[in-house]
Amino acid sequence: MARQYWLVKSEPDVYSIDDLERDGETFWDGVRNYSARNLMRDKMRVGDRVLYYHSNAKPPGVVGIAEVARESYPDHTQFDPKSKYHDPKATEEKPRWFMVDIAFVEKLPRAVSLPEIKDTKALSEMVLVNRSRLSVQPVRKSEYDLILRMSRS
DNA sequence: GCCAACGTTGGC
DNA sequence: GCCAACGTTGGC
């Protein structure tokens, strides 16, 4: 299948693009939304490209690129009573939440901010603009390419 | 810090 | 199955 494109949100205070650059690779734990889970569990493939978005930042925006390094497997934090992501209804036999691993690719030469994205007609159909609170979302190749081009200008 | 959007939970 | 109450996300 052709490479697909995604966007993931992360609060830089929690885990920023710099943290990902330092670590090289990480597991994307803590996603507790069924739409986002289904995308990770069923659609994300190794090698897919991922726009890395800083939410709750000033300004919020796309700051880098990552790629899917491992396809979905159960998110271990759901089984951990001490984790804030613990889910008492999940069992090892029947996990409810899944995650993927993502690897650092590069930081954008310049962040592309949310206001800028909102001002760009060709990006007006992005899920980011039209649906609040989805932390893993699909992106069109044309949108991905345009954001990269904007970051270089 | 506020609050709109909206997903989830649980009573009925 | 409906829907009110509740909790969270995330921009501003």
Side-chain angles (χ1 to χ4, degrees), chain A residues 101-128:
Chain A
D101 287 355
I102 66 167
F104 178 81
V105 174
E106 63 183 66
K107 277 203 252 184
L108 294 187
R110 177 180 73 77
V112 178
S113 72
L114 180 62
E116 211 177 332
I117 289 169
K118 284 180 169 171
D119 280 346
T120 303
K121 195 141 186 269
L123 299 176
S124 64
E125 288 182 27
M126 282 189 77
V127 178
L128 183 69

Side-chain angles (χ1 to χ4, degrees), chain A residues 8 10-12 15-18 52-57 59-63:
Chain A
V8 298
S10 184
E11 297 187 30
Y15 196 83
S16 72
I17 188 72
D18 294 316
Y52 201 96
Y53 178 89
H54 278 173
S55 60
N56 266 319
V62 177
V63 294

Side-chain angles (χ1 to χ4, degrees), chain A residues 2-105:
Chain A
R3 177 188 270 172
Q4 305 169 105
Y5 300 89
W6 310 96
L7 180 148
V8 298
K9 296 178 184 173
S10 184
E11 297 187 30
D13 292 347
V14 178
Y15 196 83
S16 72
I17 188 72
D18 294 316
D19 294 321
L20 182 62
E21 181 174 29
R22 180 199 61 217
D23 296 343
E25 192 170 319
T26 193
F27 47 82
W28 207 247
D29 65 324
V31 173
R32 294 293 180 271
N33 169 284
Y34 288 106
S35 305
R37 177 204 69 181
N38 292 347
L39 291 172
M40 287 199 297
R41 188 190 58 191
D42 304 334
K43 304 286 189 195
M44 283 183 147
R45 296 292 172 257
V46 168
D48 285 358
R49 291 286 162 149
V50 179
L51 294 174
Y52 201 96
Y53 178 89
H54 278 173
S55 60
N56 266 319
K58 289 172 192 164
V62 177
V63 294
I65 302 169
E67 70 175 10
V68 177
R70 180 181 169 187
E71 288 169 23
S72 75
Y73 58 108
D75 177 343
H76 56 85
T77 61
Q78 69 192 299
F79 310 126
D80 178 1
K82 292 194 293 292
S83 169
K84 70 169 179 169
Y85 298 122
H86 179 236
D87 184 342
K89 292 183 182 156
T91 63
E92 306 258 359
E93 295 71 35
K94 283 199 122 183
R96 180 185 287 206
W97 303 109
F98 293 80
M99 62 187 183
V100 298
D101 287 355
I102 66 167
F104 178 81
V105 174

